[in-house]
Amino acid sequence: MTVKMKRVLTAFATVVVLLLLVSLAYRLSPWSKRTASLRVELSLEDTKGHRAMLVNGGYLPVVVGRCDSVSDAMQPDARVGDAIQRWDIQRGAWVTVYQRSVCRSGDWGSATFSYELLWPGSRLHTSPYFHWTEDTVIHTGDKLRFLVFTQGTESDSPSIPSQSFVVE
């Protein structure tokens, strides 16, 4: 091996090591958990269902708490925790009616909670919400929204609200 080839390999190895150290330092820093670049979009599911999507609109990845599980159709599924809130006209405030941030194992497999990077342009969805007629808390005509938790549960996480929608 020539001296020139050794210098090129040494320079390449140095760059790789520096990139690894910088990425590790970023992952451990508070900057990786900043939610300023995150936004929540609302999407329609089937006929009367809604789902919120957590989108990274920034230039850097953000660490987000998520639940990885297997769906009923045996497909891998990753979800972010959320709550369903109803607008209470009498109080003039949003009231949480369903808390859905627990990562539970289903009938078909296990579920694991982890902190992963949400890369720029990437999306993570919540569980869908479908209104059913036997629901005693939410009624047709109620104004709802999703409250998406970026780091886990409501108590230990910054949250981002979605746009509101009316139950049909």
Side-chain angles (χ1 to χ4, degrees), residues 82-102:
D82 71 332
I84 303 293
Q85 294 187 319
R86 179 177 45 85
W87 179 254
D88 189 334
I89 297 171
Q90 294 172 341
R91 293 183 193 172
W94 290 101
V95 177
T96 300
V97 291
Y98 294 116
Q99 175 79 19
R100 308 184 313 165
S101 60
V102 177

Side-chain angles (χ1 to χ4, degrees), residues 40 52-54 80-83 126 146-150 157-162:
V40 175
M53 305 284 276
L54 184 64
V80 65
D82 71 332
T126 64
F146 289 90
L147 189 62
V148 178
F149 307 123
T150 61
S157 177
S159 58
I160 304 171
S162 73

Side-chain angles (χ1 to χ4, degrees), residues 19-77:
L19 284 174
L20 287 172
L21 289 174
V22 167
S23 65
L24 178 64
Y26 176 75
R27 176 74 188 251
L28 298 174
S29 76
W31 290 337
S32 68
K33 293 171 187 67
R34 291 191 61 208
T35 60
S37 65
L38 298 177
R39 68 179 187 278
V40 175
E41 295 177 355
L42 199 59
S43 70
L44 209 54
E45 296 288 314
D46 295 329
T47 56
K48 292 186 179 182
H50 292 83
R51 175 176 275 186
M53 305 284 276
L54 184 64
V55 180
N56 184 353
Y59 298 108
L60 294 171
V62 178
V63 175
V64 174
R66 64 189 243 179
C67 181
D68 293 304
S69 63
V70 177
S71 72
D72 294 343
M74 301 304 287
Q75 298 294 321
D77 188 29

Side-chain angles (χ1 to χ4, degrees), residues 63-153:
V63 175
V64 174
R66 64 189 243 179
C67 181
D68 293 304
S69 63
V70 177
S71 72
D72 294 343
M74 301 304 287
Q75 298 294 321
D77 188 29
R79 285 174 277 114
V80 65
D82 71 332
I84 303 293
Q85 294 187 319
R86 179 177 45 85
W87 179 254
D88 189 334
I89 297 171
Q90 294 172 341
R91 293 183 193 172
W94 290 101
V95 177
T96 300
V97 291
Y98 294 116
Q99 175 79 19
R100 308 184 313 165
S101 60
V102 177
C103 189
R104 290 191 189 127
S105 298
D107 294 336
W108 301 104
S110 63
T112 56
F113 183 82
S114 63
Y115 293 99
E116 301 289 332
L117 290 173
L118 185 63
W119 292 91
S122 296
R123 301 167 181 266
L124 258 179
H125 62 85
T126 64
S127 295
Y129 169 76
F130 291 96
H131 179 63
W132 62 94
T133 55
E134 293 85 23
D135 193 347
T136 59
V137 178
I138 297 174
H139 307 286
T140 301
D142 282 351
K143 186 176 176 182
L144 302 180
R145 75 177 183 180
F146 289 90
L147 189 62
V148 178
F149 307 123
T150 61
Q151 298 295 315
T153 63

Side-chain angles (χ1 to χ4, degrees), residues 4-18:
K4 188 174 184 179
M5 181 67 101
K6 286 182 181 179
R7 286 184 186 157
V8 169
L9 287 175
T10 302
F12 180 73
T14 303
V15 168
V16 168
V17 168
L18 283 174

